[in-house]
Structure formats: C-alpha cells, structure tokens
Amino acid sequence: MKRIAIQGELGSFHDIAAHQYFEGEQIQLICCSTFEQVFENIKRDPTCIGMTAIENTIAGSLLHNYELLRDSGTAVVGEHKLHISHCICCLPDDDWDTITEVHSHPVALMQCRQYLSNHPALKAVEAEDTAGAAQYIHEHQLRGVAAICHAEAANMNGMKILENNIEDNKHNFTRFLVECDPRKADFLRPIDKTNKASLVFSLPHEEGSLSQVLSILSFYKINLTKIQSLPIIGHEWEYLFYIDVMYDNITRYRQSIDAIMPLTKELKVLGEYQDGKQSA
C-alpha cells in the first residue's frame, strides 16, 4: 500500500487526483493542512509519497510550491492533470433563500467569481480547503452557510448540492506533481519511460544568458513547455528559472543538460517523469 501525503481533506481535489493517478492501487491518504506538511511527511518517512498542485490553467502557477519543491530535496516522479469542476452546496435544510455566506479556498472562489457576482447577497469567506469547507459546515451544522467544492466532497459530507459545474471557465485544469525521496524515485518510475523533466537554475546577470540556454535546448530538439521565474530573495534583480522540458530521446536530453550546465548557476534537475494524462 502506498502512503500519499496531500494538502486538504478527503474529497478534495488532491484526493481525487491521487486516486486517479494511482488508479487500481491501494493507497492511504495523509491529509495535511498545508503544503509544508506534505514535504515534512516525506522527510520524516522516506516511503511516503507527496502529491501537490503546481499550476492551474486559470489561476496560474502556485509559486510557493515551486520554492517548497526546490528546498525539499525531493524528486518529481510523475504528474497528473485534473479537470476542476465546482459545485455550491449547503446543509439539507438550507436553500437559496436561507444561505448568506459561501466558504471555500481562495482559488476556488476566484474560479467562480463570475457565478458569485450573480449572487451579490452571498458573502465570500476564504477557507483552507474546498472539501474542508464542506466538512466544517457539516460537522458544526452551520445553517445559512454554503461551500464551494467538488460534488464528491459535498456527497461525502451529506450536503445538498444547489448547483453543479459553477466554475466560470469549463476548460479548468490543475496540474499536480508527484514527488518522493530521491532514493525511491526509480521504484516509482522507470527512467527509460520518462519523456519530461523539471529543472531549476539561475543565470549570470549578463546580456543574452537566457537566450543562449534556450538556443541550446532547441539545438538538441528539447521542447520547452513551461518557464517560470522567481526572484532570489536578497539578490536584487536576480532570478531562479523553473522550466519544464519534453524529449523523445533521453540520451539527447542528457546531452542538452551537460551543454547548458556551464552557462547556468546551481542547475538542479527536480525530476524526470512521464507526461501526465489529462482527465476528462
């Protein structure tokens, strides 16, 4: 049985993503209130696997999770792209004419902003987690309070779904990374099956330094699928570059890494893995 640390409660999008990624396998979820706790669990127990959201097609990148991933020393061994669908739910005895507040994670509230604008009487209240908001309302029997979460979380907590699929954009996906202790990486993904990698590096503050790196990757036919820059705290106007690349030849990919290494500072391969499936 695999032990998977996630941020959020049962019924959360992390829960759904974990079950889809490890479909057909027995897993035990370790529910954490913060992403920091996810990585702490991996550090404390090397057999533990983490699953963390890294970007959303609407809300963008979860910048803090990039920092946590880099500092944790874990290895990325997989990814999963989950279609995000929200519902609004409340206690069975409540209805539209009795609810005055809606609780959810800030990102979920943002993803339903247009929908909520059509219900101006509802006060939006931020919570740590979508499923956790539904669970809290159920456990405390909060009358007049609704939650925005996945329909599965609503059903798990005996909530009444007032309306489903309320997200503003139906093409709403979140990308999750699967990470583990580097010593366990080869057991979770055969290296010869990989076709994607996540890297991080800094560059000399010189003209054309980034374009040189990108030109070399292009020369080796390495496809750049994402680039994200984050400032280096304490070093004005210096940045860390997080990039994702795809390749169809692992030898050529490794040659490209050797070629760009002299041009970069502190280059680190965060993980090599297989391009993730996109859920329907």
Side-chain angles (χ1 to χ4, degrees):
M1 178 182 290
K2 291 182 170 68
R3 301 175 69 244
I4 317 296
I6 63 169
Q7 187 275 325
E9 303 294 335
L10 298 178
S12 66
F13 291 105
H14 279 83
D15 174 358
I16 296 167
H19 276 91
Q20 287 186 2
Y21 182 83
F22 294 102
E23 186 178 7
E25 300 185 55
Q26 284 191 318
I27 65 173
Q28 176 190 359
L29 293 181
I30 304 169
C31 296
C32 306
S33 59
T34 66
F35 287 110
E36 283 85 353
Q37 290 176 8
V38 171
F39 290 102
E40 287 169 8
N41 271 280
I42 301 173
K43 184 177 181 179
R44 187 165 51 245
D45 178 6
T47 66
C48 182
I49 301 167
M51 192 152 198
T52 55
I54 198 69
E55 64 175 317
N56 176 265
T57 52
I58 299 173
S61 298
L62 281 74
L63 300 181
H64 184 51
N65 285 0
Y66 277 102
E67 296 175 333
L68 292 175
L69 178 63
R70 178 177 179 269
D71 294 341
S72 70
T74 58
V76 179
V77 292
E79 70 172 7
H80 184 69
K81 298 159 187 169
L82 177 69
H83 180 239
I84 303 298
S85 179
H86 297 296
C87 78
I88 183 167
C89 60
C90 61
L91 293 176
D93 292 336
D94 270 326
D95 213 319
W96 280 114
D97 58 352
T98 59
I99 60 172
T100 58
E101 292 184 2
V102 57
H103 295 204
S104 194
H105 190 276
V107 173
L109 293 172
M110 187 274 294
Q111 292 171 351
C112 302
R113 183 167 48 198
Q114 183 177 335
Y115 180 86
L116 291 175
S117 70
N118 295 325
H119 299 275
L122 288 182
K123 178 185 177 183
V125 179
E126 294 185 356
E128 287 187 350
D129 177 50
T130 53
Q135 182 183 54
Y136 186 83
I137 293 168
H138 169 71
E139 288 181 350
H140 294 81
Q141 289 295 292
L142 297 181
R143 294 293 305 273
V145 181
I148 288 177
C149 60
H150 192 275
E152 186 171 329
N155 293 329
M156 286 177 61
N157 289 285
M159 303 283 278
K160 179 170 70 176
I161 296 177
L162 296 172
E163 191 170 347
N164 211 345
N165 303 316
I166 66 169
E167 63 278 3
D168 298 337
N169 191 317
K170 307 308 176 186
H171 300 282
N172 184 6
F173 288 83
T174 293
R175 176 174 167 244
F176 296 81
L177 295 181
V178 182
E179 57 272 330
C180 69
D181 185 294
R183 294 169 293 183
K184 304 294 181 182
D186 290 340
F187 295 100
L188 293 171
R189 57 97 179 94
I191 192 66
D192 61 336
K193 301 291 184 183
T194 65
N195 64 351
K196 191 171 185 178
S198 293
L199 319 172
V200 59
F201 54 82
S202 58
L203 291 168
H205 196 52
E206 299 171 0
E207 184 177 346
S209 57
L210 179 58
S211 63
Q212 289 181 59
V213 170
L214 300 183
S215 295
I216 290 174
L217 293 176
S218 176
F219 173 80
Y220 281 94
K221 302 188 184 305
I222 305 301
N223 183 26
L224 180 72
T225 61
K226 181 176 175 65
I227 183 166
Q228 178 73 56
S229 63
L230 288 178
I232 301 175
I233 306 301
H235 296 263
E236 294 81 4
W237 320 121
E238 292 187 33
Y239 299 87
L240 286 170
F241 293 91
Y242 292 82
I243 70 170
D244 292 336
V245 298
M246 290 191 67
Y247 50 88
D248 55 18
N249 183 301
I250 194 166
T251 300
R252 193 166 62 231
Y253 152 72
R254 288 185 169 167
Q255 289 172 340
S256 73
I257 298 300
D258 290 340
I260 67 173
M261 192 168 290
L263 303 176
T264 65
K265 297 191 294 184
E266 302 177 27
L267 185 147
K268 182 177 182 181
V269 178
L270 297 173
E272 296 156 341
Y273 49 98
Q274 194 166 20
D275 182 35
K277 299 176 183 177
Q278 187 161 292
S279 65

